[in-house]
Amino acid sequence: MKIERIVCDLNGHTLVLRSAEKEDAQMLLPYLKRVCGETRFLLREADECGDMTLEQEESFIVSHMEDEKACLLLAELDGEYAGNASFHAAGASRRNAHRADLGIALYQAYTGMGIGRKLFSTLLDIVKQSGFESA
């Protein structure tokens, strides 16, 4: 799903949260490997991320834009890409239809600034508006 751009002040900095666009694919390609290499608090090691092609990344973005039960939000602080958060349906079965899987990661340089908190609270609001009961 695509959301309206959100612009807010974050301790004197401009934070923009926006839906990912197909044109962001090239920028996002190295992102996952880098953030997984910067911290032990994510689900994968950097070498477990694989090498997505540009076409695969574009397809991933488009799938999140077109699905009303999915969203990929990018966070930019003062015009610089800081990280992202996303959600999608936890499964296709009726027993899982009320659940969403969430993910969030920031470049290490942008942690501790409140960006993750704002991303997460915004994503949770969107999840609830999408009809999910549990995330």
Side-chain angles (χ1 to χ4, degrees):
M1 111 183 16
K2 204 167 174 182
I3 65 145
E4 292 291 323
R5 178 181 295 253
I6 298 167
V7 180
C8 57
D9 179 74
L10 188 66
N11 303 317
H13 298 277
T14 301
L15 177 65
V16 175
L17 304 182
R18 65 175 181 85
S19 291
E21 302 279 346
K22 187 176 177 181
E23 296 75 25
D24 294 314
Q26 187 68 46
M27 174 196 67
L28 292 174
L29 279 174
Y31 164 75
L32 189 59
K33 273 190 178 183
R34 181 169 159 199
V35 295
C36 286
E38 290 180 338
T39 182
R40 305 267 309 146
F41 299 113
L42 297 176
L43 293 176
R44 297 179 188 158
E45 296 291 338
D47 63 352
E48 296 176 310
C49 294
D51 291 317
M52 289 184 78
T53 65
L54 180 60
E55 293 77 21
Q56 289 170 321
E57 186 69 31
E58 288 173 344
S59 178
F60 177 79
I61 292 168
V62 169
S63 72
H64 278 69
M65 286 172 55
E66 294 175 348
D67 187 345
E68 288 303 311
K69 297 287 187 179
C71 185
L72 175 57
L73 286 180
L74 305 186
E76 297 170 343
L77 188 70
D78 296 331
E80 296 293 322
Y81 178 62
N84 68 46
S86 65
F87 81 88
H88 60 270
S93 72
R94 288 189 307 269
R95 290 185 183 192
N96 275 331
H98 67 288
R99 295 184 58 233
D101 287 334
L102 307 178
I104 185 170
L106 299 172
Y107 285 125
Q108 189 67 38
Y110 293 99
T111 61
M113 302 171 80
I115 299 168
R117 185 177 305 111
K118 182 65 177 172
L119 257 177
F120 194 68
S121 66
T122 301
L123 196 67
L124 278 178
D125 288 343
I126 297 167
V127 166
K128 290 174 188 174
Q129 292 169 12
S130 297
F132 292 104
E133 298 172 14
S134 177

